[in-house]
């Protein structure tokens, strides 16, 4: 029994770093609510996962080129049936592979504090403040528009005088 338990622990430890497939999503989902209730930003360093809790930070490494990104889980998806482990935001995927590639073999592991700190310096972790500032600036440039509509009403004379 102890031998079986040791083998099971060893296998679970190695499957954490096993190669998996990641894709990206964006476009029509940009600006919509995610499963977590957050508004999806295709340029943020976020991902959709069916295996990790919302808010979990994951270090995703492309096995072909060694590039990695730290992203935060903020969505779920129905992509597991296609053999896809993770759906990265467009911005996160672009950090590790060309978008034209569409999918990448990756290793996925829980990010530690050092990973998050390293990637924050490289602007790889989503920061909503710059986006909020851009939105505020754009909204301030919009001039108020007022419209008036004139309707001419002609009443018919009921008597033919």
């Amino acid at each position: 029994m102890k031998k079986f338990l040791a083998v099971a622990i060893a296998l679970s430890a190695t499957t954490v770093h096993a190669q998996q497939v990641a894709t990206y999503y964006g476009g029509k989902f940009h600006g919509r609510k995610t499963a977590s209730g957050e508004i999806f930003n295709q340029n943020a360093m976020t991902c959709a996962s069916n295996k990790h809790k919302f808010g979990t930070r994951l270090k995703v490494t492309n096995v072909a080129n060694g590039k990695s990104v730290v992203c935060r889980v903020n969505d779920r998806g129905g992509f597991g049936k296609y053999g896809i482990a993770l759906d990265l935001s467009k911005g996160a995927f672009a950090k590790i592979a060309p978008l034209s590639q569409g999918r990448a073999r990756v290793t996925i592991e829980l990010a530690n504090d050092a990973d998050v700190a390293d990637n924050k310096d490289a602007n790889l972790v989503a920061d909503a403040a710059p986006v909020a500032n851009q939105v505020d600036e754009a909204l301030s440039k919009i001039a108020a528009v007022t419209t008036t509509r004139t309707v001419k009403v002609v009443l018919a004379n009921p008597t033919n005088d």
Side-chain angles (χ1 to χ4, degrees), residues 13-53:
T14 58
T15 57
V16 172
H17 299 288
Q19 291 183 16
Q20 300 175 56
V21 176
T23 59
Y24 74 91
Y25 71 118
K28 70 178 184 176
F29 298 105
H30 185 72
R32 293 186 182 179
K33 270 190 181 179
T34 62
S36 67
E38 181 180 325
I39 300 300
F40 176 65
N41 178 352
Q42 68 181 354
N43 302 309
M45 301 302 116
T46 58
C47 61
S49 172
N50 290 329
K51 294 183 181 179
H52 298 91
K53 292 180 181 180

Side-chain angles (χ1 to χ4, degrees), residues 116-131:
V116 173
D118 290 346
N119 283 293
K120 191 165 191 156
D121 293 339
N123 293 322
L124 297 180
V125 177
D127 185 3
V131 174

Side-chain angles (χ1 to χ4, degrees), residues 1 20 25 30-31 50 57 60 63 67 81 92 99 104 111 113 122 131 141 146 158-159:
M1 184 65 175
Q20 300 175 56
Y25 71 118
H30 185 72
N50 290 329
R57 294 199 184 271
V60 182
V63 296
K67 292 182 180 180
K81 60 186 173 189
L99 293 176
D113 292 340
V131 174
K141 293 178 182 178
T146 58
T159 61

Side-chain angles (χ1 to χ4, degrees), residues 63-88:
V63 296
N65 61 19
K67 292 182 180 180
S68 64
V69 64
V70 173
C71 56
R72 181 176 44 82
V73 177
N74 73 338
D75 205 0
R76 299 273 178 248
F79 44 79
K81 60 186 173 189
Y82 302 110
I84 298 167
L86 206 60
D87 226 0
L88 299 170

